[in-house]
Amino acid sequence: MTASEDVHLAELRGRMEELATPSRVFVAAGRFTEQDPDLPELAVRIRALLAEAAKDQAWRRFLPAYVPPPVPGICAALEPLEAAEAAPFLTTLATVDLVWPSHRHRPAGAAARAADRVVALLGPEGSWWTNHDASCGAVNGLTPLFDSLLAGTDGRHYAVALQIADD
């Protein structure tokens, strides 16, 4: 990895961390090690983040025997999202609570700046995926709780954000 790639990855991780909140919004970012990664490799990273969230002390009692879906199940739950919609969706994921929309996790302005930069770092050709069906608003849950996910990749790097909420 070159120094430029190191800086790129460090910024991507830093901006994603700006979107995280304790026990609500979980994030991951990194660089693929696989040759020519695609949706299944991204789903592996999503699965790892789901497992990490399930280990969080706040969620262990709600997810005591939870095992994230297998990679094909994660792939089946995802819907493509247009790149132009990625930053606004990522901002919402970091700011608006799934169950209590009037509750804010992060200040909207700061989240929007971080989300815009994440999308810019993955570039205009980045691929974005969510567990929301944009056509009808339904959510393909990845946990037994309320969850919302956005994952993006430029084919070398990835960024994943997951919000979990209880009722």
Side-chain angles (χ1 to χ4, degrees):
M1 197 168 8
T2 68
S4 173
E5 289 173 328
D6 284 344
V7 170
H8 182 90
L9 180 55
E11 184 177 2
L12 180 62
R13 285 181 172 152
R15 295 299 179 151
M16 287 300 291
E17 284 300 321
E18 291 177 32
L19 299 168
T21 62
S23 301
R24 285 292 186 181
V25 180
F26 299 86
V27 299
R31 184 165 187 225
F32 289 110
T33 56
E34 300 88 354
Q35 197 80 350
D36 299 321
D38 203 355
L39 185 56
E41 290 78 17
L42 183 59
V44 168
R45 283 17 181 236
I46 293 168
R47 192 169 197 274
L49 186 61
L50 289 165
E52 180 184 317
K55 289 180 194 173
D56 186 272
Q57 188 170 352
W59 297 110
R60 269 188 264 166
R61 67 185 170 123
F62 297 107
L63 302 168
Y66 174 73
V67 175
V71 167
I74 293 171
C75 290
L78 299 177
E79 301 283 336
L81 186 72
E82 294 294 322
E85 298 173 48
F89 189 85
L90 186 54
T91 300
T92 299
L93 192 67
T95 59
V96 180
D97 189 87
L98 291 171
V99 177
W100 305 104
S102 62
H103 176 73
R104 297 291 185 248
H105 294 297
R106 287 270 182 230
R113 286 187 295 279
D116 286 343
R117 186 63 183 144
V118 166
V119 172
L121 287 165
L122 293 182
E125 300 302 315
S127 299
W128 292 92
W129 302 88
T130 182
N131 63 337
H132 284 80
D133 183 334
S135 64
C136 69
V139 176
N140 300 317
L142 295 167
T143 71
L145 305 170
F146 293 109
D147 62 74
S148 183
L149 175 111
L150 180 66
T153 179
D154 63 1
R156 296 183 74 188
H157 302 91
Y158 63 89
V160 182
L162 168 72
Q163 185 187 134
I164 298 180
D166 61 356
D167 56 1

